[in-house]
Amino acid sequence: EVKLVQSGPEVKKPGDSLKISCKGSGYKFTNSWIAWVRQMPGKGLEWVGMIYPGDSDGDTSLRYSPSFQGQVTISADNSISIAYLQWSSLKASDTAVYFCARPGHTGYGFDYWGQGTEVTVS
Amino acid sequence: QTVVTQEPSFSVSPGGTVRLTCGLTTGSVSTSHYPSWYQQTPGQPPRTLIYTTNTRSSGVPDRFSGSILGNRAALTITGAQADDESDYYCMLYMGSGISVFGGGTKLTVL
Protein backbone atom coordinates (compact mmCIF):
# COMPACT_ATOMS: atom_id res chain seq x y z
CA GLU A 1 0.00 0.00 0.00
CA VAL A 2 1.38 3.38 -1.03
CA LYS A 3 1.63 5.82 1.88
CA LEU A 4 2.95 9.36 2.21
CA VAL A 5 3.53 10.44 5.81
CA GLN A 6 4.43 14.04 6.48
CA SER A 7 6.20 15.68 9.40
CA GLY A 8 4.28 17.46 12.14
CA PRO A 9 3.10 21.08 12.49
CA GLU A 10 5.63 23.86 12.75
CA VAL A 11 5.50 27.30 14.36
CA LYS A 12 8.31 29.60 13.30
CA LYS A 13 9.27 33.25 13.31
CA PRO A 14 9.87 35.40 10.20
CA GLY A 15 13.43 34.91 9.02
CA ASP A 16 13.70 31.37 10.41
CA SER A 17 14.70 28.45 8.22
CA LEU A 18 12.57 25.32 7.95
CA LYS A 19 12.61 21.91 6.31
CA ILE A 20 9.47 19.76 6.26
CA SER A 21 9.38 16.16 5.11
CA CYS A 22 7.29 13.55 3.33
CA LYS A 23 8.19 9.86 3.72
CA GLY A 24 7.08 7.52 0.98
CA SER A 25 6.48 3.80 1.48
CA GLY A 26 4.87 0.93 -0.36
CA TYR A 27 6.56 1.70 -3.69
CA LYS A 28 10.02 2.25 -5.18
CA PHE A 29 10.75 5.78 -3.93
CA THR A 30 13.40 6.56 -6.52
CA ASN A 31 11.11 5.76 -9.47
CA SER A 32 8.25 8.17 -8.87
CA TRP A 33 7.77 11.92 -8.81
CA ILE A 34 6.69 13.55 -5.55
CA ALA A 35 5.08 16.98 -5.62
CA TRP A 36 4.39 19.68 -3.05
CA VAL A 37 1.12 21.61 -2.92
CA ARG A 38 0.40 24.72 -0.84
CA GLN A 39 -2.93 25.72 0.65
CA MET A 40 -2.99 29.10 2.38
CA PRO A 41 -5.66 29.64 5.05
CA GLY A 42 -9.10 29.68 3.48
CA LYS A 43 -7.65 29.50 -0.05
CA GLY A 44 -7.27 27.00 -2.86
CA LEU A 45 -4.58 24.51 -3.83
CA GLU A 46 -1.36 25.72 -5.47
CA TRP A 47 1.17 23.50 -7.25
CA VAL A 48 4.60 24.32 -5.80
CA GLY A 49 6.97 21.91 -7.51
CA MET A 50 8.11 18.32 -7.67
CA ILE A 51 11.11 16.06 -7.61
CA TYR A 52 12.01 12.79 -9.30
CA PRO A 53 14.54 11.28 -6.89
CA GLY A 54 16.10 8.85 -9.39
CA ASP A 55 18.49 6.05 -8.58
CA SER A 56 21.56 8.30 -8.63
CA ASP A 57 22.31 12.02 -8.34
CA GLY A 58 22.45 12.36 -12.09
CA ASP A 59 18.94 10.97 -12.42
CA THR A 60 17.33 13.51 -10.09
CA SER A 61 14.94 15.96 -11.75
CA LEU A 62 13.28 19.04 -10.31
CA ARG A 63 10.43 21.20 -11.49
CA TYR A 64 9.20 24.42 -9.85
CA SER A 65 6.19 26.58 -10.47
CA PRO A 66 7.40 30.00 -11.65
CA SER A 67 5.54 31.43 -8.65
CA PHE A 68 7.69 29.44 -6.23
CA GLN A 69 11.03 29.27 -8.08
CA GLY A 70 13.70 30.74 -5.82
CA GLN A 71 11.34 30.88 -2.84
CA VAL A 72 11.60 27.23 -1.76
CA THR A 73 13.90 24.27 -2.33
CA ILE A 74 12.78 20.71 -2.94
CA SER A 75 15.14 17.82 -2.29
CA ALA A 76 15.12 14.12 -1.44
CA ASP A 77 17.11 11.58 0.56
CA ASN A 78 16.81 8.26 -1.26
CA SER A 79 18.42 6.31 1.61
CA ILE A 80 15.39 7.00 3.83
CA SER A 81 12.76 7.56 1.11
CA ILE A 82 12.00 11.13 2.18
CA ALA A 83 11.27 14.22 0.12
CA TYR A 84 11.78 17.67 1.61
CA LEU A 85 10.47 21.17 1.14
CA GLN A 86 12.61 23.87 2.69
CA TRP A 87 12.84 27.60 3.22
CA SER A 88 15.95 29.58 4.08
CA SER A 89 14.10 32.63 5.41
CA LEU A 90 10.40 32.29 6.19
CA LYS A 91 7.87 35.06 5.73
CA ALA A 92 4.46 35.45 7.30
CA SER A 93 2.98 34.77 3.86
CA ASP A 94 4.45 31.25 3.95
CA THR A 95 1.81 30.37 6.56
CA ALA A 96 -0.13 27.51 4.98
CA VAL A 97 -0.76 23.80 4.96
CA TYR A 98 1.65 21.97 2.66
CA PHE A 99 0.71 18.62 1.13
CA CYS A 100 2.94 16.16 -0.64
CA ALA A 101 1.39 14.10 -3.40
CA ARG A 102 2.38 11.34 -5.81
CA PRO A 103 1.14 10.65 -9.31
CA GLY A 104 -0.57 7.39 -10.13
CA HIS A 105 0.59 4.94 -12.75
CA THR A 106 -0.11 7.28 -15.68
CA GLY A 107 2.31 9.89 -14.28
CA TYR A 108 -0.25 12.68 -14.63
CA GLY A 109 -2.46 13.89 -11.81
CA PHE A 110 -1.99 12.83 -8.23
CA ASP A 111 -3.35 9.60 -6.85
CA TYR A 112 -1.79 9.62 -3.38
CA TRP A 113 -1.64 12.41 -0.82
CA GLY A 114 0.11 13.03 2.46
CA GLN A 115 -1.89 14.23 5.43
CA GLY A 116 -0.51 17.77 5.25
CA THR A 117 1.91 19.81 7.37
CA GLU A 118 0.69 23.05 8.88
CA VAL A 119 3.32 25.78 8.89
CA THR A 120 2.65 28.93 10.91
CA VAL A 121 5.03 31.89 10.63
CA SER A 122 4.35 34.56 13.22
CA GLN B 1 0.09 34.22 -18.00
CA THR B 2 -2.56 31.56 -18.56
CA VAL B 3 -4.86 30.95 -15.62
CA VAL B 4 -6.99 27.87 -14.94
CA THR B 5 -10.58 28.88 -14.32
CA GLN B 6 -13.41 27.21 -12.41
CA GLU B 7 -16.85 28.35 -11.33
CA PRO B 8 -16.43 29.80 -7.80
CA SER B 9 -19.61 28.16 -6.57
CA PHE B 10 -22.40 25.86 -7.68
CA SER B 11 -25.42 24.33 -6.07
CA VAL B 12 -27.29 21.11 -6.78
CA SER B 13 -30.38 19.46 -5.33
CA PRO B 14 -30.05 16.06 -3.68
CA GLY B 15 -30.36 13.42 -6.38
CA GLY B 16 -29.61 15.93 -9.09
CA THR B 17 -26.83 16.19 -11.65
CA VAL B 18 -24.20 18.90 -11.73
CA ARG B 19 -21.38 19.59 -14.15
CA LEU B 20 -18.36 21.55 -12.95
CA THR B 21 -15.97 22.87 -15.57
CA CYS B 22 -12.31 23.79 -15.87
CA GLY B 23 -11.03 26.16 -18.52
CA LEU B 24 -8.13 28.33 -19.54
CA THR B 25 -8.02 32.11 -19.89
CA THR B 26 -6.09 31.53 -23.10
CA GLY B 27 -6.84 28.58 -25.34
CA SER B 28 -8.77 25.35 -24.96
CA VAL B 29 -8.41 22.45 -22.58
CA SER B 30 -7.64 19.16 -24.30
CA THR B 31 -6.65 15.65 -23.28
CA SER B 32 -3.03 16.81 -23.63
CA HIS B 33 -3.58 18.79 -20.41
CA TYR B 34 -4.34 15.48 -18.63
CA PRO B 35 -7.09 17.07 -16.51
CA SER B 36 -7.49 15.73 -12.99
CA TRP B 37 -10.11 16.46 -10.36
CA TYR B 38 -9.93 16.54 -6.56
CA GLN B 39 -12.50 16.78 -3.79
CA GLN B 40 -11.65 18.44 -0.49
CA THR B 41 -13.57 18.96 2.72
CA PRO B 42 -12.36 21.37 5.42
CA GLY B 43 -9.37 20.15 7.41
CA GLN B 44 -8.73 17.17 5.15
CA PRO B 45 -6.22 16.49 2.40
CA PRO B 46 -7.62 16.42 -1.11
CA ARG B 47 -9.13 13.19 -2.39
CA THR B 48 -8.40 12.27 -5.98
CA LEU B 49 -11.53 11.67 -8.06
CA ILE B 50 -10.40 11.66 -11.69
CA TYR B 51 -7.06 11.71 -13.52
CA THR B 52 -6.05 11.79 -17.19
CA THR B 53 -9.42 13.30 -18.16
CA ASN B 54 -11.74 10.41 -17.30
CA THR B 55 -10.01 7.70 -15.24
CA ARG B 56 -11.63 7.27 -11.85
CA SER B 57 -9.29 6.83 -8.92
CA SER B 58 -9.62 3.63 -6.89
CA GLY B 59 -12.78 3.54 -4.80
CA VAL B 60 -14.45 6.52 -6.48
CA PRO B 61 -18.09 5.74 -7.32
CA ASP B 62 -19.20 5.90 -10.93
CA ARG B 63 -21.47 8.83 -10.04
CA PHE B 64 -18.34 10.88 -10.73
CA SER B 65 -17.16 11.12 -14.33
CA GLY B 66 -14.72 13.28 -16.24
CA SER B 67 -14.73 14.47 -19.83
CA ILE B 68 -13.80 17.21 -22.25
CA LEU B 69 -16.79 19.32 -23.26
CA GLY B 70 -16.07 21.88 -25.92
CA ASN B 71 -13.02 23.80 -24.82
CA ARG B 72 -13.20 22.85 -21.14
CA ALA B 73 -12.68 19.83 -18.92
CA ALA B 74 -15.74 18.78 -16.99
CA LEU B 75 -16.55 16.84 -13.84
CA THR B 76 -20.08 15.49 -13.78
CA ILE B 77 -21.70 14.31 -10.57
CA THR B 78 -24.94 12.39 -10.93
CA GLY B 79 -27.31 11.50 -8.09
CA ALA B 80 -25.80 14.17 -5.84
CA GLN B 81 -25.62 13.28 -2.17
CA ALA B 82 -25.27 15.43 0.92
CA ASP B 83 -21.68 14.36 1.44
CA ASP B 84 -20.75 15.56 -2.05
CA GLU B 85 -20.87 19.06 -0.55
CA SER B 86 -17.16 19.97 -0.82
CA ASP B 87 -14.63 22.06 -2.66
CA TYR B 88 -13.63 20.68 -6.05
CA TYR B 89 -10.36 21.47 -7.78
CA CYS B 90 -9.15 20.70 -11.26
CA MET B 91 -5.50 20.52 -12.21
CA LEU B 92 -4.06 20.82 -15.70
CA TYR B 93 -0.66 19.81 -17.03
CA MET B 94 0.84 22.86 -18.73
CA GLY B 95 3.96 21.24 -20.18
CA SER B 96 7.64 21.22 -19.12
CA GLY B 97 6.69 19.23 -16.04
CA ILE B 98 4.53 22.01 -14.61
CA SER B 99 0.91 21.68 -13.51
CA VAL B 100 -1.53 24.32 -12.32
CA PHE B 101 -4.64 24.08 -10.15
CA GLY B 102 -7.83 25.96 -10.79
CA GLY B 103 -9.21 28.23 -8.11
CA GLY B 104 -11.74 25.63 -6.98
CA THR B 105 -15.54 25.34 -6.96
CA LYS B 106 -17.53 25.28 -3.74
CA LEU B 107 -20.40 22.84 -4.28
CA THR B 108 -23.49 23.13 -2.13
CA VAL B 109 -26.06 20.34 -2.00
CA LEU B 110 -29.47 21.72 -0.98
Side-chain angles (χ1 to χ4, degrees):
Chain A
E1 180 193 6
V2 172
K3 282 189 176 179
L4 299 174
V5 178
Q6 297 185 230
S7 49
E10 302 275 0
V11 179
K12 293 290 188 180
K13 296 188 186 313
D16 284 352
S17 62
L18 176 64
K19 197 174 193 177
I20 63 175
S21 67
C22 171
K23 182 172 175 60
S25 63
Y27 69 100
K28 194 171 192 299
F29 179 79
T30 53
N31 283 13
S32 180
W33 291 89
I34 284 189
W36 288 96
V37 175
R38 183 175 82 173
Q39 188 166 40
M40 298 175 74
K43 302 299 184 183
L45 304 176
E46 298 174 271
W47 193 92
V48 174
M50 63 182 183
I51 185 166
Y52 183 86
D55 287 319
S56 63
D57 284 348
D59 294 337
T60 301
S61 291
L62 284 161
R63 301 286 187 271
Y64 290 97
S65 162
S67 299
F68 290 91
Q69 179 85 49
Q71 309 304 307
V72 297
T73 302
I74 296 172
S75 61
D77 186 334
N78 292 354
S79 67
I80 50 176
S81 300
I82 289 182
Y84 298 101
L85 178 66
Q86 69 181 90
W87 296 259
S88 58
S89 181
L90 286 161
K91 303 186 278 285
S93 56
D94 294 317
T95 294
V97 176
Y98 293 86
F99 298 99
C100 62
R102 206 208 82 162
H105 67 280
T106 66
Y108 296 97
F110 303 128
D111 213 9
Y112 305 96
W113 292 81
Q115 82 276 19
T117 295
E118 184 172 19
V119 174
T120 303
V121 184
S122 176
Chain B
Q1 181 183 346
T2 301
V3 172
V4 179
T5 61
Q6 296 185 245
E7 299 87 358
S9 62
F10 231 115
S11 64
V12 62
S13 301
T17 295
V18 63
R19 181 169 290 140
L20 311 181
T21 70
C22 176
L24 291 168
T25 51
T26 304
S28 299
V29 177
S30 72
T31 54
S32 299
H33 289 98
Y34 302 95
S36 52
W37 291 90
Y38 308 90
Q39 177 191 50
Q40 190 184 33
T41 52
Q44 295 297 315
R47 171 198 182 198
T48 302
L49 298 175
I50 301 286
Y51 55 92
T52 55
T53 306
N54 55 15
T55 303
R56 269 184 297 276
S57 186
S58 177
V60 174
D62 58 9
R63 301 188 297 105
F64 295 89
S65 62
S67 61
I68 300 288
L69 287 178
N71 62 353
R72 304 176 75 84
L75 174 71
T76 303
I77 307 172
T78 57
Q81 301 176 358
D83 62 3
D84 293 337
E85 187 160 295
S86 303
D87 295 324
Y88 291 84
Y89 296 93
C90 68
M91 187 177 80
L92 300 179
Y93 177 68
M94 306 302 280
S96 302
I98 308 294
S99 292
V100 178
F101 284 99
T105 297
K106 186 176 185 63
L107 180 67
T108 302
V109 180
L110 51 70

